[in-house]
Amino acid sequence: MPKKNSDELFHFQENQIQPLSPQELFSQIRAEIDFYQQQIAILQQQLAVVTGGFTNV
């Protein structure tokens, strides 16, 4: 997963940009969802450790 806050900036001409196919778009979105779900699970585990398993959810 590339860094979202990268300082690198690229400029492309409009004719250099190719839209993703629906399958490619779905795959990229699914990968991003999976990545963030993993991050949420890690944070929930850390929260459980810090709070001794007690949360106000």
Side-chain angles (χ1 to χ4, degrees):
M1 206 38 53
K3 292 183 180 180
K4 298 285 183 187
N5 297 325
S6 175
D7 289 336
E8 295 182 38
L9 185 62
F10 297 98
H11 296 278
F12 294 97
Q13 298 295 323
E14 190 171 336
N15 63 354
Q16 294 176 300
I17 299 171
Q18 296 294 321
L20 297 175
S21 71
Q23 295 84 6
E24 291 170 320
L25 186 57
F26 178 84
S27 293
Q28 286 197 3
I29 292 171
R30 184 76 247 172
E32 196 159 341
I33 289 170
D34 292 343
F35 172 79
Y36 285 111
Q37 285 178 331
Q38 290 173 358
Q39 296 302 305
I40 290 168
I42 290 167
L43 290 170
Q44 287 173 329
Q45 290 172 351
Q46 292 174 349
L47 180 60
V49 168
V50 169
T51 62
F54 298 102
T55 60
N56 291 332
V57 178

